[in-house]
Amino acid sequence: MADLHSTFTEFDDIIKLSSKKKETLRTSRNSIRTDIVKYFEEKREKHTVSFKGQGSFMMNTTIQPISKEYDVDDGVYIFGKKEDKPSVQMAHNWIYEAVKNRTSSESLDKNTCIRVIYKSDYHVDLPIYYKIEKSDNENTLDDETPEIAHLSKGWILSDPYAFKKWFDDQAKGKSQLKRIVRYLKAWSDKKQNDNSKLIFPSGMIFTILASNHYVENSRDDKSLLETLKKIQSNIDETKFNYVSYECYRPTVDKNENLLDKYSAETTKNNFLSALDSFIKSAEQAIELESKKDACAKWQKHLGDRFPCSLIKEEKSNSSARVYSSPDQVSFDNKSA
């Protein structure tokens, strides 16, 4: 059988953020923090501010998107007394004013954050939280759940830092799990790049699904396949009659089914169909003798960045077909 573990780890090196890129993003993030601290020191006597990185950048599961536009999330935590709590719009206005001149591109005031846009290839999202100031002035980000300033929903409980800690626990000593999350994100990125109208679950959902259904294996190709199969067996009720289309948040509101917002019939069916097709291709790839043939199966779902050109086929009695791209592969009616 074709063992493509090394091809997968090479793919991971291609799609994950380089050390140089990480440093660039950190520099931009820290410059934004400096702007916000200066604003609060000069204009907000009753409030202080702190920060906590969140999202895939902090969990080391960020991938280089095909679109080339990176996304960094940095939580802005405003501390103040209960009676000095601003309106959601006012909190957004404060942060917008602090960062509006950071780049030549106009910052955006979005429902859940202020977005600072860097023309090169990335943006920094600044979700805004409020925490009640403690009487002893020992304010921390690790105690009570903060509220996020959501323009359409008001102040609502949200704790992305708790999610990061949860994932860190799940991935402790499991570097393969982080690679599996990045592979799933690369699959989603490829599908949505092929069809801009296609709606796939968020990166958070893929992170939760991978963590909850991760199957360890010495080979990444087998681990990914078995993880995909386990995910399918737990969310596809049309294929398995005893389960439902569910993915629950592991922190704060644990009763929130994150797949609810992706449950419209077309959206749901497109995702489940793509998942089934991916699994069938992966199963076929694992069973093939030719690494080139197997790689074409994986490349169909993971995109041209999946490095089939690096494969050196071992000599055998049967000659393997070589494909320059997955579009040149001709499958019979049993292929996925």
Side-chain angles (χ1 to χ4, degrees):
M1 296 188 292
D3 180 349
L4 293 189
H5 172 72
S6 62
T7 307
F8 267 90
T9 57
E10 288 163 354
F11 179 55
D12 185 56
D13 287 337
I14 292 169
I15 62 174
K16 70 182 180 182
L17 295 185
S18 65
S19 297
K20 183 178 180 180
K21 175 58 67 176
K22 287 180 180 179
E23 186 56 36
T24 297
L25 296 176
R26 286 194 193 96
T27 299
S28 296
R29 181 199 66 186
N30 291 341
S31 296
I32 291 171
R33 289 182 174 186
T34 299
D35 289 344
I36 295 173
V37 168
K38 181 180 179 182
Y39 174 86
F40 272 75
E41 288 176 345
E42 294 178 352
K43 299 186 178 182
R44 301 263 67 84
E45 293 181 0
K46 296 181 179 180
H47 300 90
T48 57
V49 67
S50 187
F51 307 90
K52 202 71 171 180
Q54 60 188 59
S56 59
F57 183 71
M58 295 303 295
M59 295 187 294
N60 194 27
T61 59
T62 301
I63 66 165
Q64 299 188 51
I66 297 172
S67 68
K68 301 301 182 184
E69 185 174 349
Y70 297 86
D71 178 1
V72 176
D73 297 314
D74 197 33
V76 181
Y77 292 78
I78 300 171
F79 287 87
K81 295 179 180 179
K82 185 176 182 179
E83 60 268 27
D84 293 325
K85 184 178 180 181
S87 68
V88 165
Q89 186 61 71
M90 185 176 292
H92 275 240
N93 291 346
W94 291 349
I95 305 307
Y96 180 85
E97 284 296 315
V99 303
K100 66 180 182 181
N101 296 320
R102 168 47 46 188
T103 71
S104 59
S105 299
E106 183 178 0
S107 297
L108 301 177
D109 189 1
K110 300 174 67 67
N111 251 340
T112 58
C113 67
I114 301 298
R115 175 170 292 178
V116 180
I117 301 170
Y118 287 80
K119 281 187 175 179
S120 52
D121 56 4
Y122 59 95
H123 60 260
V124 179
D125 283 341
L126 303 166
I128 306 158
Y129 303 87
Y130 195 81
K131 298 199 76 172
I132 304 301
E133 189 175 66
K134 290 190 173 183
S135 57
D136 58 9
N137 291 322
E138 292 185 6
N139 299 312
T140 71
L141 302 179
D142 301 330
D143 44 21
E144 299 164 356
T145 300
E147 293 178 302
I148 187 172
H150 194 295
L151 288 180
S152 65
K153 297 180 180 179
W155 288 105
I156 55 176
L157 291 175
S158 177
D159 197 351
Y161 182 56
F163 180 76
K164 177 194 176 297
K165 291 194 293 184
W166 172 83
F167 180 71
D168 287 346
D169 287 341
Q170 301 300 305
K172 188 174 182 179
K174 301 174 185 175
S175 58
Q176 185 181 61
L177 173 56
K178 292 190 176 184
R179 295 198 299 272
I180 296 298
V181 171
R182 290 194 287 266
Y183 300 149
L184 291 175
K185 288 185 175 182
W187 169 53
S188 175
D189 187 39
K190 193 267 183 186
K191 295 293 294 183
Q192 292 179 98
N193 187 71
D194 289 346
N195 181 359
S196 60
K197 295 182 179 180
L198 185 66
I199 301 174
F200 251 45
S202 67
M204 172 185 278
I205 290 176
F206 278 119
T207 301
I208 296 170
L209 291 175
S211 299
N212 289 343
H213 306 299
Y214 167 60
V215 179
E216 186 177 4
N217 193 284
S218 59
R219 287 171 46 178
D220 277 13
D221 52 352
K222 285 189 173 182
S223 175
L224 178 57
L225 170 58
E226 294 306 316
T227 300
L228 287 168
K229 288 166 67 176
K230 197 171 177 183
I231 289 172
Q232 183 188 56
S233 71
N234 280 271
I235 67 171
D236 189 356
E237 73 271 24
T238 62
K239 192 176 184 69
F240 304 93
N241 295 326
Y242 55 90
V243 293
S244 56
Y245 190 65
E246 297 172 342
C247 175
Y248 288 97
R249 188 186 296 275
T251 58
V252 187
D253 187 357
K254 297 183 179 182
N255 294 318
E256 180 185 3
N257 178 13
L258 297 174
L259 282 174
D260 270 348
K261 63 183 70 175
Y262 302 92
S263 61
E265 185 175 358
T266 299
T267 300
K268 175 180 175 180
N269 289 340
N270 283 341
F271 171 51
L272 294 178
S273 176
L275 177 61
D276 191 60
S277 177
F278 195 7
I279 289 171
K280 287 178 179 176
S281 289
E283 288 175 332
Q284 293 167 5
I286 295 292
E287 294 300 321
L288 286 169
E289 293 293 333
S290 164
K291 287 187 176 182
K292 285 284 188 179
D293 286 358
C295 197
K297 293 281 189 179
W298 288 111
Q299 196 181 63
K300 176 185 175 185
H301 299 273
L302 296 172
D304 292 340
R305 294 185 294 179
F306 196 70
C308 293
S309 61
L310 299 179
I311 291 178
K312 294 181 180 180
E313 195 73 72
E314 297 176 358
K315 292 182 180 181
S316 64
N317 293 330
S318 59
S319 60
R321 291 173 291 168
V322 178
Y323 309 114
S324 59
S325 76
D327 294 332
Q328 293 176 289
V329 183
S330 177
F331 300 125
D332 60 26
N333 59 5
K334 293 183 179 179
S335 291

